[in-house]
Amino acid sequence: MTRRIQVVQLLVSPAHRLAGRPADGLPPARDRDLVTRAEVRAGLGLVGDRYFGQKAHRNASVTLMAQENLPVGIDPAVDLSGTRRNVLLRGVDIDSLVGSVVSIDCGSGPVTFALNRPARPCAWMEVTVGPGAQRALRGKGGVRCTPLSDGVLEVGDAVFQELGSAPV
């Protein structure tokens, strides 16, 4: 099935922002992590991101999330800076597609992803978003993915297509 969606935000973070324990509080924000364009490399992730080419994250180098699942009742301004996901999409229930292969075409050609597993919200969500966020995001915290093709994602309108089942 093909449908029109929006890429609302992109986050490419060269360093882990959340280190230590949530009780220690947040380090200073890094607004430059939010970008309008991200280069994707098959099997590696987003160029410049902290998980790019990391063996431990080979099947989870990119995380897609649905804007509709953001806990705006907890924080109306919540976005990728708080959830630390990479790609925020509007118009598709990405969490329901675990186990699928999908493509996102922002105008320069489709980028395909294997949607491997749910991104489970961690205790940091209670600090970065607000009390109750970890529970609010259970089952809808996004999907950890492997990019299957090279390409470019850009903020704006896009075409989303479900291509079948992910390789095992």
Side-chain angles (χ1 to χ4, degrees):
M1 175 191 297
T2 302
R3 67 185 101 168
R4 303 277 316 159
I5 65 164
Q6 276 197 311
V7 175
V8 179
Q9 280 185 319
L10 296 166
L11 184 133
V12 178
S13 180
H16 287 278
R17 181 169 171 246
L18 307 177
R21 296 181 315 188
D24 297 336
L26 280 173
R30 296 172 44 104
D31 290 335
R32 67 178 180 256
D33 292 349
L34 291 174
V35 298
T36 58
R37 181 180 188 276
E39 291 182 53
V40 182
R41 294 292 173 258
L44 298 172
L46 302 178
V47 174
D49 191 70
R50 64 202 178 280
Y51 295 130
F52 183 81
Q54 298 292 320
K55 283 186 179 185
H57 296 280
R58 148 178 99 240
N59 292 321
S61 61
V62 177
T63 305
L64 308 178
M65 183 176 192
Q67 182 183 36
E68 293 83 354
N69 290 337
L70 290 173
V72 294
I74 294 169
D75 179 358
V78 65
D79 64 5
L80 291 182
S81 297
T83 64
R84 305 305 292 167
R85 292 358 186 192
N86 299 109
V87 182
L88 188 62
L89 304 172
R90 179 186 304 134
V92 60
D93 180 8
I94 201 73
D95 294 279
S96 70
L97 297 173
V98 170
S100 300
V101 172
V102 302
S103 71
I104 301 171
D105 187 343
C106 297
S108 59
V111 181
T112 56
F113 295 92
L115 307 185
N116 298 322
R117 60 183 168 86
R120 309 232 187 270
C122 68
W124 272 106
M125 297 295 174
E126 300 293 299
V127 176
T128 62
V129 178
Q134 185 178 17
R135 178 174 291 219
L137 287 169
R138 282 189 189 140
K140 50 188 174 182
V143 180
R144 303 236 185 248
C145 308
T146 303
L148 301 176
S149 65
D150 292 350
V152 173
L153 296 176
E154 294 185 77
V155 170
D157 293 335
V159 174
F160 181 89
Q161 187 172 9
E162 297 171 45
L163 301 173
S165 297
V168 179

